[in-house]
Amino acid sequence: MILDDGGDLTHWIYKKYPNMFKKIKGIVEESVTGVHRLYQLSKAGKLCVPAMNVNDSVTKQKFDNLYCCRESILDGLKRTTDVMFGGKQVVVCGYGEVGKGCCAALKAMGSIVYVTEIDPICALQACMDGFRLVKLNEVMRQVDIVITCTGNKNVVVRENLDRMKNGCIVCNMGHSNTEIDVASLRTPELTWERVRSQVDHVIWPDGKRIVLLAEGRLLNLSCSTVPTFVLSITATTQALALIELYNAPEGRYKQDVYLLPKKMGGLQAHSIYFSRQRSLICSVQSHSPK
C-alpha cells in the first residue's frame, strides 16, 4: 500500500520503480495537490492501481482544512511577527475550507478582512458571512497582511508585491508553495534580510520592505504547531481508507480515484462527536460539587 501526502511518493515509484505497482494494492492520498496528480494519471490512463481520495472526505475538509487552519493561522503569525490583529486590514485569497478558517479567526480577533475568490459559490459564501469581496489590486496598497489559501500557483505575483505598502506581511496557507511568486523577488535590485527563522525582509531600492514568512511555503507547517486532535482524526481517516482498499474484494475498485465511502466517514464523525461529548461531561462532573 502507498500512504501519500502530496503525491511525491507515488510519483517517485511511478518514475523509478514502475514494476512495483504489480505488488501494490492501492494508494491513499490526503492532499489537494496529490489528488490532482492522481486524477491527471487516471485521465491519461496511467493509473495502475485503485486510489482513495482522502482529501475530499468530510473529516479531512472540516477538521484539518477548516478548524485546524482557524487556529494555526493566528499561531503562525504570532510566533513569527508578534503582530497585533485588532484593526489590521487583511486580504485572504481564496474562500475554500482553509480560507473560511483563516477569515473566521482573523475576524474574531478584530481584523478587517477582505476576500478574493474566483468560484461563484465560495464568493457568495464569503459575502453571506460578512466579508467584502475584492480584486487583489483594489486593496493591495492598503492591506497590512496578505494570506494565500487557494492551492493554486502565482496567486500573488511580482506586480502585486511591488504595490504592497511598507511593512506588509505576506504568507501562504495553501498547499502549493508557488502561490506567492517568490522566484520573482530573487533579483539583484532587491535585498533579502533574514530577521529570524522563517522570517525574511525583502527590501526595495526605495527602502520599502515586506515581511515574507517561510519563503512562501506552508505557514502552519513551517511556523506553528498543529493540534494533535486534528492529526489523530486525519490519521484515522487515512487508516480507514487503507483498510478499505486492502480488504476490498477483487473488482470493487478499478484503476481509478475513489472517495472514502460515506458510511465510513459518517461512522468516524459519530465517534468524534461522542468522544467530544464524553470529554465535556467529564469536565462538567469534575467541577461539580460533591
Side-chain angles (χ1 to χ4, degrees):
M1 304 293 292
I2 295 177
L3 181 60
D4 213 351
D5 182 1
D8 296 314
L9 179 59
T10 302
H11 181 72
W12 181 72
I13 293 175
Y14 182 77
K15 290 292 183 183
K16 297 282 187 179
Y17 307 101
N19 287 334
M20 284 185 67
F21 280 108
K22 294 176 182 177
K23 298 180 180 179
I24 292 172
K25 293 196 69 170
I27 302 165
V28 171
E29 172 59 56
E30 75 147 327
S31 76
V32 176
T33 307
V35 167
H36 183 64
R37 284 177 164 183
L38 289 172
Y39 280 123
Q40 285 180 326
L41 285 174
S42 177
K43 190 175 181 180
K46 295 180 179 179
L47 189 61
C48 307
V49 294
M52 195 70 79
N53 170 5
V54 169
N55 177 72
D56 291 316
S57 65
V58 175
T59 45
K60 172 66 168 60
Q61 287 281 325
K62 297 300 180 184
F63 281 89
D64 203 331
N65 294 2
L66 176 58
Y67 301 129
C68 179
C69 291
R70 190 175 65 181
E71 299 191 20
S72 60
I73 180 62
L74 301 180
D75 185 28
L77 286 170
K78 278 288 187 186
R79 285 172 188 255
T80 51
T81 65
D82 300 307
V83 66
M84 183 175 181
F85 297 107
K88 287 291 189 298
Q89 297 194 57
V90 184
V91 60
V92 176
C93 303
Y95 201 70
E97 299 301 327
V98 174
K100 287 180 175 69
C102 292
C103 288
L106 292 161
K107 182 180 180 180
M109 294 300 291
S111 298
I112 301 160
V113 183
Y114 304 100
V115 173
T116 70
E117 178 57 72
I118 61 171
D119 181 271
I121 302 302
C122 292
L124 177 61
Q125 288 177 319
C127 179
M128 297 303 288
D129 288 339
F131 299 107
R132 182 183 166 194
L133 271 294
V134 296
K135 292 182 178 179
L136 198 54
N137 278 334
E138 292 175 0
V139 295
M140 191 52 75
R141 292 189 186 278
Q142 69 193 60
V143 293
D144 303 293
I145 306 173
V146 178
I147 304 168
T148 56
C149 306
T150 69
N152 212 328
K153 63 180 181 179
N154 294 333
V155 178
V156 176
V157 294
R158 178 61 188 269
E159 178 189 351
N160 305 133
L161 296 159
D162 286 337
R163 290 165 61 89
M164 288 178 185
K165 72 178 188 180
N166 184 46
C168 184
I169 299 169
V170 188
C171 64
N172 171 37
M173 285 289 288
H175 195 83
S176 170
N177 64 353
T178 55
E179 297 204 30
I180 302 164
D181 188 10
V182 176
S184 69
L185 296 175
R186 300 194 183 277
T187 54
E189 76 271 14
L190 300 182
T191 304
W192 283 62
E193 182 181 299
R194 175 54 60 96
V195 180
R196 62 171 79 162
S197 176
Q198 307 291 357
V199 183
D200 290 289
H201 283 187
V202 183
I203 308 167
W204 268 251
D206 62 358
K208 182 196 90 169
R209 61 179 65 200
I210 65 168
V211 183
L212 179 65
L213 304 183
E215 298 182 46
R217 297 185 301 275
L218 197 57
L219 179 74
N220 63 343
L221 294 187
S222 303
C223 307
S224 73
T225 60
V226 179
T228 53
F229 176 68
V230 171
L231 284 177
S232 69
I233 291 171
T234 305
T236 305
T237 310
Q238 290 174 298
L240 285 170
L242 286 169
I243 293 167
E244 170 66 15
L245 275 181
Y246 189 81
N247 291 331
E250 191 173 344
R252 175 181 291 177
Y253 295 110
K254 299 178 173 59
Q255 297 173 350
D256 205 349
V257 185
Y258 295 87
L259 291 171
L260 185 71
K262 193 172 182 179
K263 184 178 180 181
M264 299 181 79
L267 288 170
Q268 190 185 6
H270 274 91
S271 66
I272 294 165
Y273 169 76
F274 285 117
S275 73
R276 302 309 279 175
Q277 288 296 303
R278 262 198 313 274
S279 300
L280 181 61
I281 291 167
C282 291
S283 176
V284 171
Q285 288 175 342
S286 66
H287 289 87
S288 299
K290 298 295 182 184

